[in-house]
Amino acid sequence: MVSYGVVYDEGGPDLTDPDGWRLSWDYRTRFQKPLRFRLPNGRCISVKQFCASGDKNVTDSDPIDSGVTVWDSALVMAYFLCKNPEEIKGKTVIELGSGTGFLGCISAGLGASCMVLTDLPGVCPQLETAARSNCRGIDIRVRSLPWGDANIARSLCETEFKGGWPDVVLCTDCIYREGAPALLLATFDALVGPETVALVAADGHRPEVIADFHDKLAAQGRLRLEPVPATQLHHYVRSDSLVVFRLRRAASPPSSRVAAAVGAEEP
């Protein structure tokens, strides 16, 4: 039996349905109730979810107000990190687009030595709340980080990682709208050092945006993509519509396609 995962109330998703965790949540479960997740060590992470942020500064930059709920890719990554805690334990970590703070708090709870949550300025107060309520006694920080400005990203590394790079960059459900790939890749390029691993999860509901990410990644030529095989994901949250992959600093131009990672299995 799984010793970690979402803690459901009565009337939650149908656990007998492999896709139930994604498809059977009602509006209240997705946008009004807190989401609770139990870690392998027994710690329970709980974050608030909202139907809307109510912050015009946020919606001007992100029209769909994406930071108000825990999206599917974050759940997939949470189960992946619980199954593979060596990916995060004892490492310095920064997350892009932290939103509710769900994944960053889970990473801190799994033993990251330093966890930096980032998002738009209007989202940072809810991240501060999540960090305070879930991560007492843990080195977890909240910083504003707009995507696309490499100078700002490098400056953040100077202050948070003593001029170096983080060990891990987390990014989930951020490749979702037109224009995001170029901004994200500029930020990845600034944050991914020689030994850094970026762990990225994306939903394929916007295949044209995923394709744009691939095209710009190939044109940039400085990062290489490594699909995470589906067998490394927890069986309960595998889905053909979701992809998890790593980005590393490339020695030569990459050739992998993001699309090829969807549903990839180990040979």
Side-chain angles (χ1 to χ4, degrees):
M1 185 174 180
V2 179
S3 59
Y4 54 84
V6 174
V7 178
Y8 296 110
D9 295 329
E10 184 178 355
D14 179 4
L15 300 182
T16 65
D17 177 3
D19 285 328
W21 68 281
R22 299 184 62 234
L23 302 179
S24 63
W25 289 13
D26 59 21
Y27 180 86
R28 183 167 178 264
T29 303
R30 289 303 300 266
F31 296 105
Q32 294 180 332
K33 295 173 61 177
L35 179 63
R36 294 180 294 154
F37 191 99
R38 182 174 291 110
L39 301 180
N41 59 15
R43 180 192 292 266
C44 192
I45 301 298
S46 178
V47 296
K48 294 181 179 180
Q49 299 184 106
F50 311 90
C51 57
S53 67
D55 189 326
K56 186 176 184 299
N57 292 324
V58 174
T59 54
D60 282 349
S61 298
D62 180 15
I64 71 169
D65 214 2
S66 60
V68 298
T69 189
V70 177
W71 299 98
D72 299 339
S73 293
L75 287 167
V76 169
M77 186 67 77
Y79 278 88
F80 171 76
L81 293 177
C82 287
K83 185 178 180 181
N84 305 277
E86 69 281 357
E87 297 278 353
I88 215 88
K89 188 174 182 179
K91 298 181 179 180
T92 57
V93 184
I94 187 169
E95 183 186 16
L96 304 181
S98 297
T100 63
F102 170 76
L103 189 61
C105 290
I106 282 177
S107 300
L110 289 172
S113 63
C114 170
M115 182 70 229
V116 181
L117 311 180
T118 73
D119 213 305
L120 297 169
V123 181
C124 287
Q126 72 189 37
L127 292 176
E128 295 277 8
T129 298
R132 282 195 304 270
S133 61
N134 289 291
C135 302
R136 293 178 182 175
I138 298 175
D139 186 0
I140 184 167
R141 313 163 193 179
V142 174
R143 301 289 184 265
S144 171
L145 180 61
W147 305 338
D149 191 319
N151 291 329
I152 293 177
R154 283 306 305 154
S155 177
L156 190 65
C157 285
E158 291 285 338
T159 57
E160 303 301 328
F161 306 112
K162 299 180 179 179
W165 288 273
D167 296 318
V168 179
V169 179
L170 294 175
C171 181
T172 63
D173 249 323
C174 292
I175 312 173
Y176 64 93
R177 62 181 174 90
E178 294 180 4
L183 300 176
L184 279 171
L185 284 169
T187 302
F188 279 132
D189 195 32
L191 295 176
V192 175
E195 304 299 324
T196 304
V197 176
L199 287 169
V200 184
D203 198 322
H205 53 74
R206 291 291 302 276
E208 71 280 8
V209 179
I210 294 289
D212 185 41
F213 182 89
H214 158 71
D215 291 341
K216 286 181 168 56
L217 177 67
Q220 183 195 63
R222 293 190 293 276
L223 299 169
R224 78 175 186 273
L225 182 150
E226 301 173 358
V228 172
T231 49
Q232 291 185 19
L233 306 179
H234 192 276
H235 68 88
Y236 182 53
V237 290
R238 292 182 193 173
S239 171
D240 289 343
S241 70
L242 292 163
V243 54
V244 181
F245 57 89
R246 296 180 177 88
L247 291 176
R248 302 181 193 269
R249 184 59 59 183
S252 58
S255 59
S256 299
R257 291 188 62 89
V258 174
V262 179
E265 297 282 351
E266 287 181 329

